[in-house]
Amino acid sequence: MSNTTARTWLITGADKGLGLSAAKAALEQGDNVAVTVLAADGSHSLAAQYPGRLKSIHLDARDQERCADVVKEVVDTFGRIDVLVNNAGFGLMAVAEATPPEKYRPMFEVNFFGLVEMTKAVLPFMRAQRSGHIINLSSKAGFMGVTGFAFYCASKFAVEGFSEAVAAETKDMGIRVTIVEPGGFRSDFAGPSLVTAVNDDGDYAAANDRISKYVTERHGKQESDVAKFGPAMCRLVNAENPPLHLPLGKDCLDALRANIRSIEADFDRWEELSLSTMADD
């Protein structure tokens, strides 16, 4: 692909992991890429390899007032934004009752509100182009509740609802939205990036045991390979009719399908009660 036909991607949280994988794959297929990174000097490991096609900008996702400035800087550099990948985020594993606000509120600022403000900043440019693809990173835990991940689930459930609404509002403007729901990837999610808080109450013994084992037993043994995430995102962006939901990994696909079947069974079992509130007229 030549630079004249290259897309421009904006990928948040691309210092490492999934964001870095997406940036690398997009650059390898000839696209221009802007990334946000936590590095204070805005440096990025791929900069020297792709001069002129990679722009790296320092951004703490909690600093949402800067989202509009970042988007303007990218448009000033490359002329447009075709793909937004809202990847910045981190996990929090703890029993809900034991989790203090100072742990879960910062996660919402990054996982949800940072994503919201970056999306809002990009939308005017995509509307003017009458084209664009917004890819919002959710999780298996954004589709179903998971023990020990109450607040992480809540932040990702919020991403799902917001994304579905934006998709409905912009579908006639040439803008596509995809919610990507990764299962377990061999990234830092279950390692240094995961904030945990363990409660000692005996009532939560089973949950606490799962929490304490999660990092030590799961880190580095997840089913999906980070290096394969970027190529999957390129296939998604290149698709003529991209999906609204894209689970990644067999673990996620199996869990989501089982969850859907369970919900449908509840609907069938309780249909009479569900319909009992209908007005008589």
Side-chain angles (χ1 to χ4, degrees):
M1 182 181 293
S2 68
N3 276 358
T4 56
T5 58
R7 295 184 183 92
T8 295
W9 297 53
L10 170 56
I11 306 169
T12 66
D15 308 67
K16 58 185 179 180
L18 302 184
L20 175 60
S21 178
K24 187 173 184 291
L27 288 162
E28 286 176 349
Q29 74 171 12
D31 288 346
N32 300 314
V33 175
V35 295
T36 69
V37 297
L38 280 174
D41 61 356
S43 61
H44 195 274
S45 59
L46 296 174
Q49 191 176 349
Y50 295 98
R53 289 206 291 119
L54 175 69
K55 183 174 185 63
S56 184
I57 305 167
H58 165 70
L59 179 69
D60 185 326
R62 295 170 297 180
D63 188 6
Q64 291 134 30
E65 292 183 357
R66 287 199 59 231
C67 289
D69 293 336
V70 168
V71 168
K72 183 179 184 302
E73 190 173 344
V74 175
V75 172
D76 287 346
T77 302
F78 294 117
R80 59 189 293 121
I81 296 174
D82 300 289
V83 183
L84 169 64
V85 182
N86 276 310
N87 170 72
F90 65 92
L92 171 60
M93 192 172 193
V95 171
E97 184 182 334
T99 310
E102 58 267 26
K103 283 189 177 288
Y104 66 74
R105 287 183 182 272
M107 185 187 61
F108 270 84
E109 290 295 335
V110 174
N111 291 7
F112 181 61
F113 293 113
L115 175 149
V116 166
E117 293 307 321
M118 191 61 78
T119 300
K120 288 172 63 181
V122 164
L123 277 172
F125 295 96
M126 289 187 173
R127 285 194 293 108
Q129 295 165 187
R130 280 304 194 255
S131 67
H133 195 166
I134 298 170
I135 299 172
N136 287 336
L137 268 290
S138 177
S139 167
K140 176 176 75 173
F143 200 93
M144 57 185 291
V146 180
T147 299
F149 283 103
F151 290 103
Y152 180 72
C153 288
S155 73
K156 293 300 188 177
F157 267 65
V159 167
E160 300 253 347
F162 173 76
S163 301
E164 288 193 7
V166 170
E169 292 169 356
T170 61
K171 63 184 176 63
D172 295 328
M173 303 173 194
I175 299 170
R176 299 293 175 261
V177 177
T178 299
I179 306 161
V180 174
E181 294 139 345
F185 272 80
R186 294 176 189 175
S187 66
D188 279 347
F189 179 83
S193 296
L194 186 65
V195 177
T196 60
V198 178
N199 176 289
D200 293 330
D201 193 301
D203 285 345
Y204 290 118
N208 288 330
D209 183 61
R210 182 179 186 277
I211 291 168
S212 64
K213 289 179 178 178
Y214 186 86
V215 174
T216 56
E217 295 184 359
R218 186 167 171 78
H219 185 46
K221 299 176 183 177
Q222 298 92 334
E223 292 185 9
S224 289
D225 182 351
V226 171
K228 295 184 177 181
F229 176 81
M233 292 303 95
C234 288
R235 288 181 60 187
L236 173 65
V237 168
N238 294 333
E240 185 175 348
N241 295 301
L244 176 58
H245 291 268
L246 180 67
L248 291 179
K250 186 177 185 300
D251 59 332
C252 183
L253 199 57
D254 288 349
L256 267 55
R257 282 176 167 157
N259 188 53
I260 290 169
R261 288 193 294 268
S262 175
I263 292 170
E264 188 172 22
D266 269 352
F267 286 172
D268 291 342
R269 189 177 303 114
W270 293 95
E271 182 176 5
E272 185 277 328
L273 184 57
S274 296
L275 297 178
S276 70
T277 60
M278 300 292 291
D280 292 333
D281 58 355

